[in-house]
Amino acid sequence: MNRVINIILGCLLTGIGTLLLAHAHLVIGGTAGLSLSLSYLLGIPFSPAFFVINIPFYTFAVLRMGWNFTLATFAAVTLLSGITGGLEHWLFNGFAVAPWIGATLGGGLAGLGLAILFENRSSLGGANILALYLEKKFNWNPGYTNCVFDSIVVLSGVYAAGLLRGLYSVLAVIVISSVIGYCKSRSAKRAQVLSTAVES
């Protein structure tokens, strides 16, 4: 039950952060960033674009991460799509955000939400799945892995957002990755302390 509550909380925080980024007209990495770029370029809502883009990644998740992780990820993607659609309609309709607020506050909330999802063996698809797989396989920090993939997506999305907002987008990626990396390091230290206490 705690895992379900944490996944809902993670999706809520990520959803608010993503909408702040979207209303600041910034681009972030992963499938969320691709979805934002498509919404800017094609004038389509973020929620359905995000849901559809994630579909191909479920095959990789099933093969490499198992059904439990895949179903949790599918639930999180679906939940985030619903949350962002609902918040967009009820709270963020016509809402403008300064780029620096979107990059810092939006990036911070999105990073915290993603960290909570990672901690509860879930993700939001796309590069998140690959980052968690590389952590499981090689013990790579998912915050740093996400930063690499996100930077590539952001650079390709600068065309959609413009150069200045592209630079703010890079700041948002750094904030998101730093929050994820910090939370992951704290979690690892906590697990090490608990392990030492049990062995004692």
Side-chain angles (χ1 to χ4, degrees):
M1 186 62 183
N2 283 342
R3 185 187 179 202
V4 173
I5 293 172
N6 286 334
I7 288 175
I8 293 172
L9 176 61
C11 287
L12 180 61
L13 291 173
T14 306
I16 294 172
T18 301
L19 286 174
L20 287 172
L21 289 160
H23 283 264
H25 211 72
L26 303 183
V27 178
I28 54 174
T31 50
L34 290 174
S35 303
L36 284 175
S37 294
L38 282 177
S39 69
Y40 299 151
L41 292 171
L42 304 179
I44 59 176
F46 167 80
S47 299
F50 179 66
F51 185 83
V52 171
I53 284 175
N54 271 290
I55 292 174
F57 293 98
Y58 295 133
T59 303
F60 178 82
V62 169
L63 294 174
R64 298 296 180 182
M65 303 295 287
W67 277 104
N68 189 294
F69 173 85
T70 304
L71 291 173
T73 295
F74 179 79
V77 169
T78 304
L79 183 60
L80 181 65
S81 297
I83 287 173
T84 52
L87 290 175
E88 178 74 42
H89 179 73
W90 295 105
L91 294 178
F92 284 84
N93 194 8
F95 192 84
V97 178
W100 68 271
I101 293 177
T104 54
L105 181 58
L109 289 173
L112 182 58
L114 286 169
I116 292 172
L117 290 172
F118 290 173
E119 188 70 21
N120 288 274
R121 302 184 310 281
S122 182
S123 77
L124 291 175
N128 294 165
I129 295 173
L130 187 56
L132 290 177
Y133 171 71
L134 292 174
E135 181 196 18
K136 181 180 177 182
K137 190 78 173 176
F138 303 109
N139 201 30
W140 292 2
N141 189 311
Y144 302 141
T145 306
N146 266 314
C147 186
V148 173
F149 291 114
D150 290 354
S151 298
I152 294 171
V153 174
V154 167
L155 289 174
S156 66
V158 167
Y159 174 77
L163 181 59
L164 180 59
R165 291 184 187 272
L167 293 175
Y168 277 114
S169 298
V170 171
L171 173 61
V173 168
I174 293 172
V175 171
I176 291 170
S177 301
S178 298
V179 171
I180 293 173
Y182 174 77
C183 291
K184 195 65 187 175
S185 299
R186 286 287 301 270
S187 177
K189 288 179 182 177
R190 189 166 59 245
Q192 188 175 17
V193 169
L194 288 173
S195 176
T196 304
V198 169
E199 290 174 0
S200 303

